[in-house]
Amino acid sequence: MSIQLKNSSATVKLNTGAIIPQLGLGTWRSSDEEAYNSVLSAIKLGYRHIDSAAIYGNEEPVGKAIRDSGVPRNELFVTTKLWGTQQRNPEKALDASLKRLGLDYVDLYLIHWPIAFKTDNIKDDDYLTVPTGKDGKADVDVKDWNFVKTWELVQELPATGKAKAVGVSNFSVNNLKELLASPGNKLVPACNQVELHPLLPQDELIEFSKSKGIVIEAYSPLGSNGSPLLKEPVIIEVAKKYGVEPAQVLINWGIQRGYVILPKSVNPKRVESNFKVFDLSKEDVDRIHKISKEQGVKRFVHPDWPSFPIFE
Ligand code: A2P
């Protein structure tokens, strides 16, 4: 079967009224040089959505590539994320991110994980780290702070103009319910960015988020580092049928399910091919959906941060 591949141009509307391009570039695990080159080439190819995070350690090259691209700032959608050591002062953390990015505002600022870390063992203001306690384990704060308190601060950020929209990442249905039901909650998160691919289809979370007006964003759509999902026999078979690459099948499966999707690549050819969309038949979308029913669900990103129910 020969099909037509087009550059992605679809958008999704956030509960703020803003428009978010449905396909964006992920930048996790990109070195400085890789981040600069991949963001610049992505924007030149037509990407208008770049996803970053303070903890990725590459906001400076990401921001420089955005500025060097020559594309007007208001035509780009830029996200960054609040790290768990800075949940007690999100505005200060956002200011630091904006300084590194060299931008006046981000389009979306997300609480990166529903977890605050203790800051007692942080040295030299080195906040972009996972602090560890005496036992060598992550210093998770389960007593003095929580994501409800963080959200009370984060929901005030749009009024500063420094973040046009705010949201969360790695939030389960239960954690979202707790956030929405908290007495200090005044704002529904615009987005929830989560791991999402055929081995982790997140049906319940998608359904719940939709009912609340929260847009889902999929990270690690290829299975993260090393892209293990590209070896799935069903994905390979469907790719052969359409004459496309397995990565394109995985990305278009997400596109057709209607959420935002953020494949990461530092390889210029892949940055280009990952941006191509085509129509998968409903039958093939359903067939790919069945992979996790047959094999069981698999999560590739699960940090070892004890004492906190991140995923349930
Ligand atoms: P690279 O950056 O060298 O291209 P995910 O988006 O699920 O986090 O997956 C990222 C991983 O998938 C990275 O290892 C990335 O490597 C690889 N990758 C991205 N796009 C493709 C592609 N089209 N074909 C093969 N591997 C890819």
Side-chain angles (χ1 to χ4, degrees):
M1 190 193 294
S2 157
I3 49 106
Q4 230 202 331
L5 291 165
K6 285 191 276 184
N7 276 351
S8 168
S9 59
T11 57
V12 174
K13 202 169 185 179
L14 301 181
N15 61 18
T16 58
I19 296 295
I20 182 169
Q22 197 182 1
L23 203 159
L25 181 75
T27 59
W28 184 27
R29 296 192 177 109
S30 305
S31 70
D32 279 11
E33 198 187 344
E34 290 170 338
Y36 180 81
N37 290 332
S38 61
V39 170
L40 194 60
S41 61
I43 296 175
K44 292 221 148 75
L45 285 162
Y47 283 71
R48 290 295 176 264
H49 177 178
I50 307 294
D51 185 79
S52 65
I55 195 65
Y56 301 167
N58 54 19
E59 284 172 311
E60 279 181 27
V62 165
K64 182 163 164 39
I66 287 168
R67 287 178 279 116
D68 288 353
S69 73
V71 172
R73 175 67 186 90
N74 64 4
E75 291 177 21
L76 294 168
F77 193 101
V78 182
T79 299
T80 196
K81 310 188 192 85
L82 171 68
W83 190 236
T85 51
Q86 297 188 295
Q87 292 198 9
R88 290 166 190 78
N89 198 341
E91 189 170 358
K92 189 172 164 205
L94 176 57
D95 286 342
S97 278
L98 291 175
K99 196 164 168 216
R100 286 187 293 266
L101 287 162
L103 301 176
D104 300 329
Y105 69 90
V106 286
D107 298 275
L108 181 62
Y109 194 49
L110 304 176
I111 301 180
H112 203 150
W113 290 88
I115 286 206
F117 293 117
K118 289 186 204 157
T119 50
D120 319 335
N121 295 318
I122 288 179
K123 293 190 193 84
D124 306 325
D125 280 353
D126 183 17
Y127 283 92
L128 297 180
T129 184
V130 176
T132 47
K134 286 199 183 86
D135 57 3
K137 292 193 173 144
D139 230 352
V140 176
D141 194 341
V142 280
K143 213 168 90 225
D144 298 327
W145 201 260
N146 56 48
F147 61 74
V148 166
K149 290 184 185 177
T150 308
W151 185 251
E152 285 174 14
L153 301 174
V154 166
Q155 68 188 353
E156 305 298 339
L157 293 175
T160 67
K162 294 185 236 180
K164 302 277 181 210
V166 288
V168 296
S169 180
N170 295 298
F171 269 57
S172 63
V173 170
N174 279 354
N175 287 335
L176 275 177
K177 279 185 181 163
E178 186 178 336
L179 184 148
L180 293 172
S182 64
N185 176 269
K186 293 190 285 193
L187 192 72
V188 176
C191 291
N192 183 18
Q193 185 180 126
V194 295
E195 181 180 340
L196 175 44
H197 46 68
L199 283 185
L200 188 64
Q202 302 266 33
D203 295 343
E204 190 196 349
L205 186 63
I206 292 173
E207 197 55 40
F208 178 77
S209 302
K210 204 171 171 189
S211 75
K212 299 293 175 190
I214 301 168
V215 167
I216 287 283
E217 297 187 296
Y219 75 71
S220 296
L222 312 179
S224 196
N225 219 9
S227 48
L229 293 174
L230 300 181
K231 297 185 195 87
E232 276 301 320
V234 171
I235 300 298
I236 293 173
E237 209 179 296
V238 174
K240 277 199 188 126
K241 173 172 160 189
Y242 290 84
V244 300
E245 293 172 18
Q248 292 173 322
V249 171
L250 289 161
I251 293 165
N252 277 275
W253 182 73
I255 295 272
Q256 274 180 243
R257 295 180 80 215
Y259 42 76
V260 170
I261 188 157
L262 303 164
K264 172 262 171 184
S265 181
V266 296
N267 173 314
K269 283 216 166 73
R270 293 169 177 173
V271 170
E272 184 172 7
S273 59
N274 290 352
F275 197 52
K276 302 284 179 200
V277 294
F278 66 98
D279 283 333
L280 279 169
S281 70
K282 183 175 178 316
E283 193 187 37
D284 288 320
V285 170
D286 293 346
R287 187 167 169 222
I288 294 167
H289 206 152
K290 283 199 195 107
I291 300 177
S292 71
K293 299 212 165 56
E294 284 151 13
Q295 296 188 18
V297 162
K298 182 159 178 160
R299 196 180 278 282
F300 294 96
V301 183
H302 37 76
D304 182 20
W305 297 332
S307 334
F308 189 91
I310 307 181
F311 303 124
E312 289 114 35

